[in-house]
Amino acid sequence: MSPSVYYEYDVVVVGAGHAGCEAALAAARLGAKTALLTMNCDTVGQMSCNPAIGGVAKGQIVREIDALGGEMGRVIDETGIQFRMLNLSKGPAMHSPRAQADKKAYQFCMKWKVEQQENLTLRQEMVKGLIVEQDRISGVIVHGDAQYHCRAVILTTGTFLQAIMHTGEAKTKGGRAGEGTTGTLSDSLVHLGFELQRFKTGTPARLNGRTINFSVLDEQPGDEDPQPFSFMTEKINQPQMSCYLTETNDYVHKLINENLDRAPMYSGQINSTGPRYCPSIEDKVVRFAERDSHQIFLEPEGRYTNEYYCNGISTSLPRDVQDKMIHSIRGLENTEIMRYGYAVEYDFATPTQLNPTLETKQVEGLYFAGQLNGTTGYEEAAGQGLLAGLNAALKIARKDDFILDRNEAYLGVLIDDLVTKGVDEPYRMFTSRAEFRLLLRQDNADRRMTPVGRRIGSVSNERWQKYQAYDTELKKAAQFIQSTRYQGNTLEEWLRRQDIGWTQISEFAPALEDFHFSERAIQQTLIEVQYAGYIRRQTAEIEKQKNVEALHIPDHIDYQVVPNLRNEAKEKLSRVKPRNVGQAGRISGVTPADLTVLVLYLNSSSRMAT
C-alpha cells in the first residue's frame, strides 16, 4: 500500500546537530535538493555539552572544514565570547585555535545559515525507519507514516539511538536532557545487518554565575589579539568574556570514593565504554588516586545568561552527592546548581562498516556521520558531516568520490582511522594521530584544502577570490626573499637564523616594505622558511609512502584463497576491505608478514591477468 504523503529529494539528512548541519549545507551547495530532518527545529546546531569550538587538533579540523567551504568556523567567529590560540610556546604544528561560544547565539546563527541555504529544506520530523530496495537506499519513513524518497540518506543521529540518561540510580530515556530518543531507527539498522554497539558520554553540572564567588578564583582572559577560525573573517571585533579556574580537593575525592557504589559506571548500571580522554570526575579520582586535585574550568555559556559550564567534573553521581561535591569546591560554596550532570548511553555503528566516503558497505547510498560512527566532539562530527554531504552529492551527480589522504588533512586521518582501525572507545582527534602534522598546520589549512574544494565545487567565488589574493601575496614574498641578497646571502637564508626576523630583513632590503604584505602572509612565509628542512623531510616521507599506498587492492578479492595468509588477517581484511596495501597495513591485527604475503599474491594475480 503506497503512503498517503511522500516527498521527493536528492539527499535526506537525519539529525541537525553539528554533523547534520554541515552535511546538509554541503550537499545543497553542490546542487543536491536536500531535506534536513530533526526531532526539534529549536535545537538545530545545539551544543549539548561544552559550549566551545576547537582545541588541540580539533582547531585544525575546524579550519579545514572552513577551507573546504563549511560553516562551523564562520559561525563561531560570529558568536564566540572568548578566543585563545593554544600551545603558542610550542612549534607552529601544535598551535590550535579554541573559542568559547555564546551557546544560544551559535545555535541560532547555525539555524539561520541552514534556513537561508538554497536547495535546503529544514523539517521537524521523527524518522522511524529506512526504505531499502535491493541493498540500495530509497528513502526514510517518519512518524505519521509519511515518506521521504531520495537517492542518498545521511544519518547523523548523535547520541539519540536507544539513548538512556543516568543520574545516580535514576534512568530516563533520552539522548539529551529534556529530549527523547530514536529507538526504532536502531531496529531498522540491525534488521539491515549493521553491527551496533554501546558507548557512554557524560556532562557536568551547570551553575548560576550570580552565586559563584569569582573573587577567590583564578581568572583566564582571552587573547589580546584574538585570531578568527574562518579564513573569511578579517577580525574578531566583539568583546571577550573571561573563564575562571578552580579545582577539586581531598574532601571532594573522599566524597566521591564513598559514593562510588551509587555511581552508574561503578555500580554496574552502565557497562558501556566512555571517552578515555574526557573522563568523568569519578574516573579521574579512581584512576589517578595519587592526585590531590583536578582542575575545573568555569566557562560562561553566553553573554545573556548567568549559566556556567563546569569543565572538568563530568559526572553521573546522584543529585545529593553532586550538591555536596559542588559546595565543597573553592568559590562554589554557595553556588546554585541550574542543571545536574548526567551520563548518556547510546548506540553507535562500528565504523569499519563504512567506505572512506562514509557510505556504508551494506547499503548503497546510505551514509553515517558523527557520533553514530563512535566519535566524540563537535569538530569531529562536523568534519564527517561535511565529507558525507559532499560525497553524497557527488555520487548523485555521478562524479568522483572525495577522499582525503592522511598526508593531506586531519580530516583524512580521522576518516582513515575510523574506517580502517575502528573504535573501542569514543574517538577523539589528537595531533599525535597525524604522522605528518608538521604539514597539517592550522595556519595553512586553506592552502591545503581550498584549491581541492574549488575543484569539487564546495568553495564559493568570494572565498576563492580571497584565497587567490593571499596566494599571490605568498608567491611575491617567496620570490622576493629568494632573489634579494644582503652581504652575500639571500634574505631567505638570513631568515633561517633564529635571531633574524621580518623587521631585520626589512632593514636589509627597504624595498620589501613597498609590497605591504599582510601580517598573515608574513607569518606564513616565516614558518615555511624556518621549517623548510623539516617540511622537505616529511614531503619525502610522503612520496616514499605513496609507492606503498599506490598498490591497489581489487574490490572483488577473496582473502580466503590467499595462500599463507593468517586467519585473523583474512577476517580483518575481509571486513574492512582496504583500498590499497597502505590502508591494509594500518588495520589492527594485520602484521608486516601478512602484508608481504598479500603483496606477493597481488603481484602474482596481476602478472596472470596480463
Side-chain angles (χ1 to χ4, degrees):
M1 180 176 170
S2 61
S4 56
V5 179
Y6 68 91
Y7 308 95
E8 295 285 349
Y9 286 91
D10 294 322
V11 176
V12 169
V13 180
V14 181
H18 304 281
C21 288
E22 294 289 357
L25 288 166
R29 287 168 178 170
L30 259 61
K33 184 183 178 185
T34 305
L36 177 57
L37 309 184
T38 175
M39 292 190 296
N40 187 349
C41 282
D42 293 329
T43 58
V44 172
Q46 180 162 312
M47 293 179 159
S48 304
C49 197
N50 189 5
I53 295 293
V56 176
K58 294 169 177 283
Q60 282 87 330
I61 287 177
V62 179
R63 299 213 93 195
E64 291 175 355
I65 291 169
D66 178 76
L68 284 168
E71 209 58 47
M72 178 174 269
R74 300 185 81 164
V75 174
I76 187 59
D77 283 349
E78 290 184 40
T79 62
I81 57 178
Q82 189 199 80
F83 293 80
R84 296 182 68 195
M85 186 66 72
L86 306 181
N87 291 331
L88 282 176
S89 62
K90 300 179 181 179
M94 301 300 291
H95 297 175
S96 303
R98 184 183 188 274
Q100 288 297 127
D102 184 315
K103 185 175 178 177
K104 284 297 179 185
Y106 183 97
Q107 176 187 338
F108 289 138
C109 183
M110 184 63 81
K111 184 170 185 269
W112 176 252
K113 304 276 187 182
V114 166
E115 292 171 344
Q116 295 299 303
Q117 180 60 49
E118 186 180 355
N119 292 329
L120 179 55
T121 299
L122 176 66
R123 289 270 179 87
Q124 184 163 300
E125 299 276 22
M126 175 74 82
V127 175
K128 68 176 186 179
L130 304 173
I131 306 171
V132 177
E133 299 172 352
Q134 297 181 336
D135 296 327
R136 201 199 187 295
I137 199 76
S138 60
V140 301
I141 305 172
V142 301
H143 280 200
D145 293 330
Q147 295 186 5
Y148 285 77
H149 296 173
C150 58
R151 291 187 282 170
V153 170
I154 306 172
L155 293 186
T156 67
T157 50
T159 61
F160 285 86
L161 285 186
Q162 298 274 36
I164 299 176
M165 296 180 291
H166 301 260
T167 302
E169 298 88 349
K171 293 193 291 186
T172 309
K173 287 186 178 181
R176 186 164 55 206
E179 297 187 49
T181 183
T182 53
T184 57
L185 196 50
S186 283
D187 296 336
S188 183
L189 291 171
V190 171
H191 178 73
L192 290 168
F194 288 98
E195 178 189 353
L196 301 184
Q197 296 183 31
R198 300 283 278 176
F199 270 163
K200 165 259 179 187
T201 189
T203 188
R206 274 70 157 185
L207 310 178
N208 187 335
R210 181 174 54 82
T211 61
I212 297 174
N213 183 6
F214 292 107
S215 66
V216 300
L217 302 181
D218 302 318
E219 185 175 7
Q220 282 204 320
D223 291 342
E224 289 186 10
D225 182 24
Q227 298 301 303
F229 273 88
S230 175
F231 294 101
M232 298 299 290
T233 304
E234 291 294 337
K235 189 173 179 59
I236 302 297
N237 295 310
Q238 64 265 37
Q240 298 196 68
M241 298 178 68
S242 289
C243 298
Y244 294 85
L245 182 64
T246 185
E247 66 285 317
T248 61
N249 52 55
D250 286 338
Y251 177 78
V252 170
H253 296 187
K254 181 174 181 290
L255 180 68
I256 291 170
N257 278 314
E258 289 174 348
N259 286 277
L260 282 178
D261 61 324
R262 302 178 64 198
M265 285 291 291
Y266 289 88
S267 67
Q269 186 171 309
I270 295 178
N271 294 309
S272 309
T273 304
R276 185 197 314 181
Y277 300 104
C278 188
S280 67
I281 188 60
E282 299 96 287
D283 279 344
K284 289 181 183 179
V285 168
V286 172
R287 286 166 48 190
F288 308 106
E290 73 283 359
R291 293 278 300 273
D292 296 327
S293 65
H294 295 280
Q295 286 187 325
I296 302 170
F297 295 90
L298 299 177
E299 301 168 339
E301 296 222 332
R303 294 190 189 279
Y304 305 105
T305 177
N306 274 324
E307 198 163 357
Y308 274 74
Y309 179 91
C310 293
N311 192 346
I313 53 170
S314 172
T315 184
S316 57
L317 285 162
R319 287 175 173 233
D320 60 302
V321 180
Q322 291 190 43
D323 284 329
K324 293 176 184 176
M325 178 175 69
I326 293 293
H327 294 148
S328 302
I329 293 170
R330 175 171 60 95
L332 309 182
E333 292 85 355
N334 299 305
T335 296
E336 295 175 1
I337 295 178
M338 297 178 70
R339 308 179 202 232
Y340 287 89
Y342 58 90
V344 182
E345 272 190 299
Y346 58 94
D347 286 349
F348 77 95
T350 308
T352 51
Q353 299 170 106
L354 302 173
N355 293 310
T357 59
L358 297 181
E359 183 181 26
T360 66
K361 295 171 183 175
Q362 287 97 317
V363 178
E364 186 180 358
L366 177 61
Y367 297 75
F368 294 168
Q371 284 181 276
L372 176 59
N373 290 337
T375 61
T376 179
Y378 307 144
E379 304 82 3
E380 291 92 338
Q384 293 172 70
L386 174 73
L387 296 178
L390 293 174
N391 275 305
L394 289 169
K395 184 182 180 75
I396 288 170
R398 297 185 178 180
K399 295 182 179 180
D400 291 341
D401 295 336
F402 180 50
I403 298 172
L404 292 168
D405 289 334
R406 297 181 70 90
N407 56 50
E408 292 181 290
Y410 272 88
L411 289 173
V413 175
L414 167 65
I415 302 303
D416 185 63
D417 278 353
L418 292 176
V419 304
T420 304
K421 302 176 183 178
V423 292
D424 54 15
E425 62 185 36
Y427 180 98
R428 180 180 177 183
M429 178 55 73
F430 291 100
T431 52
S432 59
R433 295 189 189 273
E435 303 93 318
F436 305 107
R437 53 188 169 275
L438 190 58
L439 300 179
L440 309 183
R441 306 184 309 273
Q442 59 85 26
D443 60 85
N444 69 357
D446 58 339
R447 301 190 71 195
R448 293 183 283 113
M449 296 288 96
T450 299
V452 178
R454 184 65 175 179
R455 287 198 296 272
I456 64 173
S458 65
V459 168
S460 67
N461 290 335
E462 179 189 12
R463 183 182 291 275
W464 183 240
Q465 289 165 6
K466 184 164 186 174
Y467 170 78
Q468 285 184 306
Y470 173 61
D471 188 55
T472 299
E473 263 197 296
L474 292 176
K475 288 175 180 175
K476 286 181 179 178
Q479 194 277 330
F480 188 87
I481 65 173
Q482 290 165 6
S483 62
T484 305
R485 290 184 175 273
Y486 175 76
Q487 294 184 354
N489 294 325
T490 66
L491 297 183
E492 183 179 43
E493 289 169 334
W494 280 104
L495 283 173
R496 288 182 189 145
R497 295 175 49 171
Q498 292 294 320
D499 58 337
I500 298 294
W502 198 265
T503 301
Q504 285 81 5
I505 67 165
S506 297
E507 294 171 357
F508 299 164
L512 187 60
E513 293 297 318
D514 296 338
F515 288 95
H516 302 291
F517 290 120
S518 66
E519 183 61 28
R520 183 171 174 240
I522 291 171
Q523 292 304 316
Q524 184 73 31
T525 301
L526 288 172
I527 289 171
E528 296 196 358
V529 168
Q530 292 168 355
Y531 289 86
Y534 299 106
I535 290 172
R536 277 196 298 271
R537 281 199 290 273
Q538 286 211 340
T539 302
E541 288 177 30
I542 290 171
E543 290 304 314
K544 183 179 178 181
Q545 185 188 70
K546 282 181 179 178
N547 296 329
V548 177
E549 294 278 352
L551 187 53
H552 176 70
I553 300 177
D555 293 336
H556 56 76
I557 186 172
D558 182 0
Y559 292 102
Q560 302 303 319
V561 302
V562 178
N564 303 316
L565 193 62
R566 294 180 311 115
N567 287 333
E568 181 185 4
K570 290 179 180 179
E571 187 269 324
K572 296 284 182 66
L573 290 164
S574 298
R575 186 170 73 239
V576 175
K577 298 179 181 176
R579 294 178 299 141
N580 52 53
V581 173
Q583 185 185 4
R586 292 190 293 274
I587 299 172
S588 175
V590 176
T591 68
D594 294 324
L595 282 186
T596 301
V597 169
L598 179 59
V599 169
L600 288 172
Y601 177 80
L602 291 171
N603 288 334
S604 173
S605 299
S606 177
R607 286 194 296 270
M608 291 176 64
T610 57

